[in-house]
Amino acid sequence: MTTKQKLLQKCNEYVDKRIADYKNEIQLIKESIASNDQGNSEDDDAGNGKLFNDLEKNMEHLNDATKTKEHLKQIKTNIDSTDAMLGSIVKTNIMNFYISTSIGKIEIDDDTYFAISLNSPIGQLLKNKCEKDVFEFNQKKYLITEVI
């Protein structure tokens, strides 16, 4: 398995876990609401209001995670490009980036990569850059040593 495939797999595992966690939380909240409805007293209305807010928030998070999953499906690990784009590994003199989704640090084969979104501030700086390009982020100068 290539490094790109391993990185994409890690991203998918992360998003799949988030989706499963949100679905589980939504189910627990629905069960709590149903349980409160059976006891139906006026004191439970405030509790149900909080539960409904929690349910709504978790459904929004689930929707976002599902969109991220769809976004990751667009990444093709077999495409080589000299310009940084979705699915690229960008190695610099300071750190390595994987342009995919914002999940942060990933360790693969004794190397560290930072999974970032193309829409993030640093993702926007990396977009369409190639080997030997220089960019500045957080008052640090980065030299791109390789785009895979």
Side-chain angles (χ1 to χ4, degrees):
M1 192 180 288
T2 67
T3 302
K4 275 188 181 182
Q5 290 169 329
K6 291 176 186 177
L7 286 165
L8 182 58
Q9 180 180 11
K10 289 281 189 187
C11 289
N12 277 308
E13 287 170 1
Y14 174 85
V15 173
D16 288 343
K17 183 180 180 336
R18 282 185 54 211
I19 289 171
D21 289 349
Y22 291 131
K23 284 181 177 179
N24 186 41
E25 188 66 22
I26 288 167
Q27 186 58 39
L28 290 173
I29 293 169
K30 285 180 177 179
E31 289 170 7
S32 293
I33 291 170
S35 173
N36 282 354
D37 284 347
Q38 289 173 356
N40 203 11
S41 75
E42 289 182 26
D43 294 337
D44 289 334
D45 287 347
N48 270 359
K50 183 181 178 338
L51 287 171
F52 280 119
N53 285 342
D54 290 347
L55 179 63
E56 189 175 316
K57 285 179 189 173
N58 276 283
M59 290 179 85
E60 286 174 16
H61 293 312
L62 174 61
N63 187 37
D64 289 344
T66 303
K67 286 179 184 174
T68 300
K69 182 74 175 170
E70 290 303 311
H71 177 73
L72 289 174
K73 287 181 182 177
Q74 297 174 12
I75 296 175
K76 307 293 181 227
T77 57
N78 60 346
I79 294 176
D80 286 327
S81 174
T82 56
D83 296 341
M85 57 188 253
L86 183 65
S88 292
I89 294 172
V90 181
K91 295 187 175 192
T92 73
N93 59 321
I94 298 175
M95 61 180 57
N96 303 321
F97 299 97
Y98 177 55
I99 304 174
S100 54
T101 188
S102 296
I103 66 169
K105 187 176 178 179
I106 299 175
E107 305 262 340
I108 300 277
D109 300 330
D110 298 325
D111 279 322
T112 301
Y113 300 86
F114 288 87
I116 60 164
S117 166
L118 200 52
N119 295 326
S120 68
I122 198 157
Q124 286 296 300
L125 290 173
L126 287 173
K127 187 178 182 178
N128 298 322
K129 294 271 192 285
C130 57
E131 190 176 323
K132 296 186 179 149
D133 280 349
V134 176
F135 66 97
E136 192 171 321
F137 185 72
N138 284 346
Q139 296 152 354
K140 291 182 184 173
K141 283 196 187 269
Y142 291 76
L143 168 65
I144 297 174
T145 57
E146 188 176 12
V147 177
I148 304 171

